[in-house]
């Protein structure tokens, strides 16, 4: 077992795909010898195949049932079943997501081994320890903490300001936070502004903050400046294919 905890951004476009090639939420997490596909937003599966062999994926985690976080599981099902002829890949998702997505494929058959995740649950996937926390977002949505070798990654998934990464305990090495909006243009309270992302990560004692899920038409430089001011130091902006050692 090696001590690597590595995050690769497969897609980070907020709510809908943005040109050029802006896939929606998807991340590859490597923890030791374990490979996890965390959220399968539209476009992320194509990007995943540039960074990993599909047969090396140990599990999939879907944080919630909004399409920009889950629809590419359809492609994995097709490849797994008809290309690789494999079955029973563990997929972790909140209640109802498996049934919701099954209409895409007719029937899952035994392609995936579905596991239900809820607020406060924890599980081990190979070398990774995971915990989940229900966020402030309309469908059941699970922020996800992944730990390996004393390193800790917290992914907020989608959330409004009524949830904080601090619920997993302070001082995460990296908080990967949604920052859909900017503070002078807060549209609906089910997402964060960049300033709110910075404030919440700062209050949670995060060592590093990466912004993701930006609304595609907004100026990302303005989001970075806004979040950096609130966080108290420079934040990182997610981009497809960015690889970070947590
Ligand atoms: Zn989203
Ligand atoms: Zn959402």
């Amino acid at each position: 077992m090696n001590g690597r905890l590595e995050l690769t951004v497969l897609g980070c476009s907020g709510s809908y795909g943005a040109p050029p090639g802006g896939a929606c939420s998807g991340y590859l997490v490597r923890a030791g010898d374990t490979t996890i596909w965390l959220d399968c937003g539209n476009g992320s599966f194509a990007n995943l195949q540039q960074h990993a062999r599909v047969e090396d994926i140990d599990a999939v985690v879907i944080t919630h049932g909004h399409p920009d976080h889950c629809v590419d599981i359809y492609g994995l099902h097709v490849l797994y079943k008809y290309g690789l002829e494999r079955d029973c890949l563990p997929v972790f998702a909140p209640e109802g997501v498996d049934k919701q997505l099954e209409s895409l494929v007719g029937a899952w058959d035994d392609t995936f081994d579905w596991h239900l995740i809820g607020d406060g649950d924890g599980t081990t996937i190979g070398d990774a320890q995971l915990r989940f926390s229900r966020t402030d977002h309309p469908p059941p949505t699970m922020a996800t903490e992944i730990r390996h070798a004393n390193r800790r990654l917290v992914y907020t998934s989608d959330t409004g300001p009524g949830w904080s990464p601090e619920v997993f305990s302070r001082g995460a090495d990296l908080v990967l936070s949604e920052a859909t909006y900017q503070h002078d243009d807060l549209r609906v309270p089910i997402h964060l502004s960049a300033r709110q992302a910075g404030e919440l990560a700062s209050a949670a004692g995060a060592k590093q903050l990466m912004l993701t899920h930006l609304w595609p038409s907004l100026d990302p430089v303005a989001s970075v400046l806004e979040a950096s001011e609130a966080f108290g130091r420079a934040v990182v902006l997610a981009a497809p294919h960015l690889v970070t050692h947590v």
Side-chain angles (χ1 to χ4, degrees), residues 158-242:
D158 286 0
T159 187
W163 179 88
S164 164
E166 196 168 0
V167 302
F168 289 121
S169 74
R170 295 174 51 78
D173 294 289
L174 176 63
V175 170
L176 173 63
S177 177
E178 82 124 276
T180 308
Y181 299 132
Q182 290 166 0
H183 211 70
D184 58 1
D185 188 16
L186 266 175
R187 300 177 195 186
V188 282
I190 64 169
H191 291 292
L192 299 177
S193 69
R195 184 201 295 178
Q196 288 169 329
E199 288 169 350
L200 288 167
S202 174
K207 292 176 184 157
Q208 200 180 7
L209 171 61
M210 182 185 290
L211 304 185
T212 190
H213 202 279
L214 275 62
W215 191 257
S217 64
L218 294 176
D219 172 13
V221 174
S223 296
V224 166
L225 292 173
E226 181 179 300
S228 296
E229 188 179 359
F231 187 54
R233 57 189 184 279
V235 305
V236 177
L237 182 66
H241 308 293
L242 177 69

Side-chain angles (χ1 to χ4, degrees), residues 3-239:
R4 165 182 66 172
L5 180 59
E6 183 186 273
L7 169 72
T8 301
V9 178
L10 305 175
C12 53
S13 192
S15 303
Y16 65 95
C24 284
S25 294
Y27 308 92
L28 191 68
V29 178
R30 288 190 166 98
D33 296 323
T34 300
T35 302
I36 298 169
W37 186 11
L38 174 62
D39 270 351
C40 339
N42 34 310
S44 65
F45 189 44
N47 289 345
L48 179 145
Q49 292 166 75
Q50 294 185 45
H51 295 277
R53 288 170 8 118
V54 173
E55 44 273 63
D56 290 341
I57 297 170
D58 294 297
V60 177
V61 175
I62 296 174
T63 62
H64 66 299
H66 279 160
D68 59 315
H69 295 256
C70 63
V71 293
D72 265 13
I73 190 110
Y74 161 80
L76 182 64
H77 165 80
V78 170
L79 176 56
Y80 230 67
K81 187 175 173 68
Y82 301 105
L84 302 175
E85 297 182 1
R86 289 187 172 205
D87 56 22
C88 297
L89 180 72
V91 178
F92 296 79
E95 187 170 11
V97 171
D98 57 338
K99 286 282 166 281
Q100 174 197 333
L101 291 171
E102 192 164 36
S103 61
L104 293 173
V105 300
W108 292 121
D109 297 325
D110 55 0
T111 306
F112 301 135
D113 181 13
W114 289 89
H115 297 264
L116 195 63
I117 54 175
D119 186 39
D121 287 352
T123 191
T124 298
I125 301 171
D127 297 335
Q129 279 87 49
L130 287 81
R131 288 195 294 165
F132 304 101
S133 173
R134 172 77 161 91
T135 74
D136 177 19
H137 196 64
T141 302
M142 298 303 146
T144 302
E145 178 198 66
I146 301 182
R147 279 181 295 151
H148 172 69
N150 294 321
R151 307 299 288 177
R152 204 152 61 84
L153 165 68
V154 169
Y155 169 47
T156 66
S157 184
D158 286 0
T159 187
W163 179 88
S164 164
E166 196 168 0
V167 302
F168 289 121
S169 74
R170 295 174 51 78
D173 294 289
L174 176 63
V175 170
L176 173 63
S177 177
E178 82 124 276
T180 308
Y181 299 132
Q182 290 166 0
H183 211 70
D184 58 1
D185 188 16
L186 266 175
R187 300 177 195 186
V188 282
I190 64 169
H191 291 292
L192 299 177
S193 69
R195 184 201 295 178
Q196 288 169 329
E199 288 169 350
L200 288 167
S202 174
K207 292 176 184 157
Q208 200 180 7
L209 171 61
M210 182 185 290
L211 304 185
T212 190
H213 202 279
L214 275 62
W215 191 257
S217 64
L218 294 176
D219 172 13
V221 174
S223 296
V224 166
L225 292 173
E226 181 179 300
S228 296
E229 188 179 359
F231 187 54
R233 57 189 184 279
V235 305
V236 177
L237 182 66

